[in-house]
């Protein structure tokens, strides 16, 4: 197998970095004004799902497409601001693996269910853009995880 034929698909959140606290904090800040308390337990029940799946559950009868879109946008804007402000550290060993595989000629890509702008801010915060050749984000696929769309793309 030629070195250019080898590739790695990386998940981003929970694999290369852990931004769970930023997600929780941004959900709490976005949902507080509409009277929804996002506890850690409530958050963890839905972590990794798309906002379009989470918000109707939390909003119940108040859920409308417009409100879901507004709250999703608010949450993601807050998340990006928190990451940009505080920075993001790679999980132990992640940066070393990225560098070693890159040096050995492996092609590397990010496969994430996160919105494109979140993927981009995380790549920037981790300072790994030079190690990653491509990325696939929520907007690039029809079905989010656990469906395999993001990995197949």
């Amino acid at each position: 197998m030629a070195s250019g034929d080898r590739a790695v698909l990386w998940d981003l959140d929970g694999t290369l970095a852990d931004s769970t606290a930023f997600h929780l904090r941004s959900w709490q800040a976005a949902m507080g004004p509409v009277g929804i308390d996002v506890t850690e337990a409530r958050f963890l029940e839905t972590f990794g799902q798309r906002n379009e799946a989470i918000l109707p559950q939390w909003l119940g009868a108040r859920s409308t497409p417009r409100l879901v879109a507004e709250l999703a946008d608010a949450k993601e804007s807050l998340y990006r601001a928190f990451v940009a402000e505080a920075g993001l550290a790679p999980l132990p060993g992640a940066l070393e693996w990225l560098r070693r595989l890159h040096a050995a000629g492996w092609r590397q890509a990010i496969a994430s269910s996160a919105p494109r702008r979140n993927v981009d801010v995380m790549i920037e915060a981790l300072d790994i853009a030079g190690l990653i050749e491509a990325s696939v984000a929520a907007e690039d696929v029809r079905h989010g995880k656990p469906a395999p769309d993001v990995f197949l793309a």
Side-chain angles (χ1 to χ4, degrees):
M1 180 185 309
S3 65
D5 295 338
R6 298 179 296 180
V8 176
L9 295 177
W10 294 101
D11 189 9
L12 188 51
D13 212 351
T15 302
L16 297 180
D18 182 4
S19 64
T20 305
F22 293 132
H23 284 289
L24 173 58
R25 190 171 148 207
S26 60
W27 273 123
Q28 290 170 331
M31 300 305 289
V34 295
I36 295 178
D37 180 29
V38 180
T39 64
E40 185 173 1
R42 177 179 244 179
F43 163 73
L44 290 174
E45 288 174 359
T46 59
F47 188 51
Q49 296 177 23
R50 287 185 174 194
N51 295 344
E52 297 77 23
I54 297 168
L55 285 163
Q57 294 175 52
W58 290 354
L59 292 168
R62 295 188 291 166
S63 180
T64 65
R66 181 178 176 178
L67 184 57
V68 166
E70 288 173 3
L71 290 171
D73 287 346
K75 183 269 178 190
E76 299 308 339
S77 292
L78 287 161
Y79 170 80
R80 289 187 295 272
F82 294 151
V83 170
E85 176 186 314
L88 197 57
L91 285 169
L95 192 54
E96 291 79 10
W97 272 108
L98 284 163
R99 288 179 178 152
R100 287 174 60 191
L101 290 169
H102 179 74
W106 287 65
R107 300 174 72 198
Q108 299 182 87
I110 301 290
S112 177
S113 289
R116 165 69 52 205
R117 291 174 64 194
N118 290 20
V119 170
D120 292 344
V121 78
M122 289 182 75
I123 288 171
E124 183 177 328
L126 292 167
D127 194 25
I128 60 172
L131 305 174
I132 302 296
E133 293 185 43
S135 61
V136 177
E139 298 87 341
D140 301 322
V141 296
R142 182 173 179 165
H143 302 287
K145 294 175 191 171
D149 298 30
V150 70
F151 300 107
L152 296 172

